[in-house]
């Protein structure tokens, strides 16, 4: 009798969840799909530049798709390219974010713009700060965080 009840509950659970699977949108934080023409939605827009701008999203993906090289195309260089692009297109409140590795020697760098994180190395596009910092802990990045304005 218990097995039959448990099977019934399990079946009901699976049926209900099949109809109510969560929908993930790019605005709620996702990895930026590379080389796909998707419309990026945002929580809010800003003068001169908006996160909805497909050109910005496309440029971010171009940087993200470029091969990582420790000397010539590392996280610092990729992030600087994206920050420079944002500022040259009128964006304000653009910041460099450096996060220290557990070894307390190395750092990882990404960009913060209007309260969202953009990391062309992982890649992450417009992710909430808390979600991003929780994500990168799995990469050993849980040390000090330095945030400075890009200029």
């Amino acid at each position: 009798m218990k097995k039959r009840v448990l099977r019934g509950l399990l079946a009901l659970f699976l049926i209900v969840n099949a109809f109510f699977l969560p929908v993930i949108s790019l605005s709620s934080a996702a990895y930026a799909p590379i080389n796909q023409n998707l419309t990026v939605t945002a929580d809010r827009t800003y003068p001169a530049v908006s996160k909805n701008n497909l050109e910005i999203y496309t440029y971010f993906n171009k940087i993200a798709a470029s091969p990582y090289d420790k000397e010539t195309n590392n996280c610092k260089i990729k992030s600087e390219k994206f920050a420079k692009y944002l500022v040259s297109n009128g964006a304000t409140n653009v910041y460099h974010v450096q996060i220290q590795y557990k070894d307390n020697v190395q750092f990882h760098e990404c960009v913060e713009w209007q309260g969202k994180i953009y990391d062309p190395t992982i890649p992450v596009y417009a992710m909430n700060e808390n979600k991003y910092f929780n994500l990168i802990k799995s990469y050993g990045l849980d040390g000090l965080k330095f945030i400075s304005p890009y200029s």
Side-chain angles (χ1 to χ4, degrees):
M1 179 70 177
K2 284 185 182 181
K3 285 183 181 180
R4 197 177 297 173
V5 171
L6 288 175
R7 284 183 191 158
L9 289 173
L10 178 60
L12 180 63
F13 174 79
L14 293 174
I15 290 169
V16 169
N17 280 326
F19 290 107
F20 297 103
L21 289 175
V23 176
I24 299 172
S25 71
L26 290 175
S27 65
S28 66
Y31 290 93
I34 299 173
N35 298 327
Q36 292 184 14
N37 294 323
L38 299 175
T39 302
V40 177
T41 57
D43 300 331
R44 48 198 169 173
T45 57
Y46 300 90
V49 177
S50 84
K51 293 178 192 171
N52 288 353
N53 191 325
L54 186 57
E55 290 176 20
I56 293 172
Y57 182 71
T58 302
Y59 190 77
F60 175 87
N61 279 333
K62 180 181 174 183
I63 296 169
S66 64
Y68 179 89
D69 181 87
K70 189 174 182 177
E71 300 298 321
T72 61
N73 204 28
N74 56 35
C75 62
K76 179 177 177 35
I77 293 168
K78 286 184 169 204
S79 294
E80 285 178 357
K81 286 178 187 176
F82 186 62
K84 181 179 180 180
Y85 179 81
L86 288 172
V87 170
S88 69
N89 282 283
T92 57
N93 300 321
V94 177
Y95 298 92
H96 282 295
V97 179
Q98 292 181 322
I99 306 107
Q100 194 172 34
Y101 278 91
K102 288 180 183 177
D103 66 8
N104 295 325
V105 175
Q106 299 179 37
F107 287 86
H108 178 69
E109 190 165 316
C110 60
V111 175
E112 178 189 317
W113 174 44
Q114 302 294 0
K116 300 286 184 178
I117 297 293
Y118 299 81
D119 187 336
T121 306
I122 293 180
V124 164
Y125 187 86
M127 183 179 274
N128 171 285
E129 285 182 14
N130 289 333
K131 287 182 183 180
Y132 177 76
F133 292 134
N134 285 332
L135 168 72
I136 62 172
K137 283 181 184 179
S138 64
Y139 295 104
L141 293 153
D142 65 349
L144 296 172
K145 295 168 189 68
F146 300 96
I147 300 173
S148 58
Y150 178 80
S151 54

